[in-house]
Amino acid sequence: MADLTAEADAWKDVWRDEAPHVLAALLRRHRDLADCEDAVQLALLAAAEQWPRDGLPTTPRAWLHRVASRRLVDIIRADASRRDREARAARLEVRDLGDQNLPEDDSGNRDDGDDGDDTLTLMTLCAHPALTAPSQVALTLRAVAGLTTAEIATCFFVPEPTMAQRISRAKATLRAHGAIFSPPTPAELPCRLHAVRHTVAAIYTQDHSLAERVRGADPLLGESAVRLAREVHRARPSEPESAGLLALLLLTHARSPARLDAAGEIVPLPEQDRLLWDQDLIAEGIALLIPTLSTGYVGAFQLQAAIAAVHAEAPSFAATDWPQILELYRMLERVDPTPSVALGLAVATAEVAGPQAGLDLLARSPEQSHRHQAVTGHLLARLGREAEAREAFLRAAEGTHSLPEQRYLLRLAGHGRMTS
């Protein structure tokens, strides 16, 4: 039974790796994302039925491409309400005849071009500006990362039918806006890459939410985000911000093993066992980051990665170079003045100039999220204002959806002081 489970997991990994490339191949021939994605899913269902019985094909991508091409012809034929699709099906059927004769060692993508470019083009389609940010994330997870609708629904804490409707609406929106699978023009590329990078970052942020809300959660999102960031960087290695994004995710992901204890409770940064941090990921992230900082303009992801690198290189929390982090946050605030950046600036200011200086910055911020309240509580506790700190921790606990974070904040409120 254990062998069968391991084999099923291996097939699942194959499906997840190959499905985006098969989808990209279909989209070059038939530009409707919904039809092509349905065809790929039908091919995956066929694989789930046949591979356990007949064994894994020598080249799974060629097998999936062949079956998905035939399913796509069937889908187009089934839509008899549009006559022009019949002609399109005939053209695809002619092309499909060649697919039937693909040698077993063929990739199934003879005319597919570079896989990295395919993946990036697919991601730019999923990050279309007509879609909301949550829809961009969901569609990217479905079409590019290869997650099932059920897995995505779990990550977003919604029922599977709700997520299926959200993904269907996203596809319909793309169809209504005439969005097609084609590389963005040089004029469009910077904006579309910006959207892609923020979508990947949002996927990783969602992974943190999942990990903090579900004990023992499968780290699908974090690993998917890192893999997608690698694809973006591989397709456009000259883009400093793409390297910055990958470096940021690697440096952040490296600390994952130390973030929760054995009971699933949050371990704050000052208390984390740094021996658990993944040194290989840290070294890779820093090696990616350093060349980008001398290219001229430095963007938000590069600066966030630089902050993460300073934390990663410190042998202990007490040895952290907070003046450097403070300067990086000041630079980041000029580039990307978001509430989260303002919060980080206040924390760094408190470490360099004292907790009252940090509180003064927080007082100027209109943002009142639970994280804002939590930082306020920590700084008040450091000043000995225990009653005010307790109230801030309680407000923060009421505002978070993370049960481990809520328990941590309630413990702080009970003690009335920092535990670090």
Side-chain angles (χ1 to χ4, degrees), residues 255 266-274 277 311 317 320 322:
R255 303 203 300 260
I266 288 177
V267 181
L269 182 62
E271 299 174 17
Q272 288 182 14
D273 181 357
R274 299 186 178 218
W277 291 2
H311 282 296
F317 184 80
T320 303
W322 284 105

Side-chain angles (χ1 to χ4, degrees), residues 128-153:
H128 193 279
L131 300 176
T132 64
S135 293
Q136 290 175 344
V137 170
L139 198 56
T140 300
L141 289 172
R142 188 76 173 91
V144 189
L147 272 64
T148 66
T149 304
E151 288 170 338
I152 301 170

Side-chain angles (χ1 to χ4, degrees), residues 8 13 22 32 65 96 99 119 123 154 165 170 176 185 194 251 273 301 303 309 330 363 381 387:
D13 290 340
V22 175
D32 188 291
H65 182 266
D96 191 46
D99 291 336
T119 303
M123 291 176 73
T154 298
Q165 290 176 358
T185 66
H194 180 78
L251 291 164
D273 181 357
F301 285 118
L303 289 169
R330 285 172 175 161

Side-chain angles (χ1 to χ4, degrees), residues 72-107:
L72 180 57
V73 172
D74 294 340
I75 289 170
I76 296 171
R77 280 178 170 167
D79 190 0
S81 63
R82 295 179 61 183
R83 295 181 181 178
D84 63 322
R85 285 197 163 196
E86 287 294 329
R88 210 178 306 168
R91 290 195 298 271
L92 284 171
E93 186 174 28
V94 170
R95 295 182 189 179
D96 191 46
L97 292 175
D99 291 336
Q100 296 180 24
N101 298 317
L102 283 174
E104 186 60 28
D105 62 348
D106 193 283
S107 69

Side-chain angles (χ1 to χ4, degrees), residues 165-335:
Q165 290 176 358
R166 183 179 299 177
I167 293 173
S168 294
R169 285 196 298 268
K171 294 176 185 176
T173 299
L174 292 180
R175 188 184 303 114
H177 281 76
I180 60 174
F181 179 81
S182 62
T185 66
E188 294 175 329
L189 185 59
C191 182
R192 298 301 290 274
L193 270 179
H194 180 78
V196 166
R197 284 191 289 260
H198 280 271
T199 298
V200 174
I203 290 171
Y204 195 84
T205 300
Q206 190 67 23
D207 177 67
H208 277 282
S209 175
L210 180 66
E212 290 181 1
R213 290 176 68 177
V214 180
R215 185 174 298 177
D218 189 340
L220 278 174
L221 289 181
E223 293 173 1
S224 295
V226 172
R227 181 163 61 86
L228 293 174
R230 288 189 188 280
E231 291 286 358
V232 174
H233 177 59
R234 185 166 74 91
R236 292 292 184 272
S238 62
E239 289 282 340
E241 272 287 76
S242 295
L245 170 66
L246 177 55
L248 172 63
L249 296 196
L250 291 171
L251 291 164
T252 307
H253 204 51
R255 303 203 300 260
S256 295
R259 280 200 189 92
L260 299 176
D261 64 18
E265 300 298 331
I266 288 177
V267 181
L269 182 62
E271 299 174 17
Q272 288 182 14
D273 181 357
R274 299 186 178 218
L275 294 177
L276 296 177
W277 291 2
D278 190 320
Q279 295 302 317
D280 290 338
L281 291 182
I282 290 173
E284 183 183 359
I286 291 174
L288 270 170
L289 174 65
I290 290 174
T292 75
L293 298 179
S294 59
T295 57
Y297 173 80
V298 177
F301 285 118
Q302 293 160 269
L303 289 169
Q304 290 177 65
I307 292 169
V310 176
H311 282 296
E313 291 181 314
S316 66
F317 184 80
T320 303
D321 188 347
W322 284 105
Q324 185 179 1
I325 289 177
L326 176 58
E327 185 57 35
L328 289 168
Y329 265 117
R330 285 172 175 161
M331 296 170 64
L332 183 56
E333 186 183 40
R334 291 194 291 270
V335 172

Side-chain angles (χ1 to χ4, degrees), residues 23-33 36 112 114 116-129 174 177-189 192-193 196 236:
L23 177 59
L26 296 186
L27 278 167
R28 266 192 304 279
R29 294 160 52 182
H30 174 67
R31 294 180 169 182
D32 188 291
L33 176 62
C36 293
D112 287 354
D114 181 77
D117 284 340
D118 275 350
T119 303
L120 181 59
T121 302
L122 188 53
M123 291 176 73
T124 61
L125 178 63
C126 294
H128 193 279
L174 292 180
H177 281 76
I180 60 174
F181 179 81
S182 62
T185 66
E188 294 175 329
L189 185 59
R192 298 301 290 274
L193 270 179
V196 166
R236 292 292 184 272

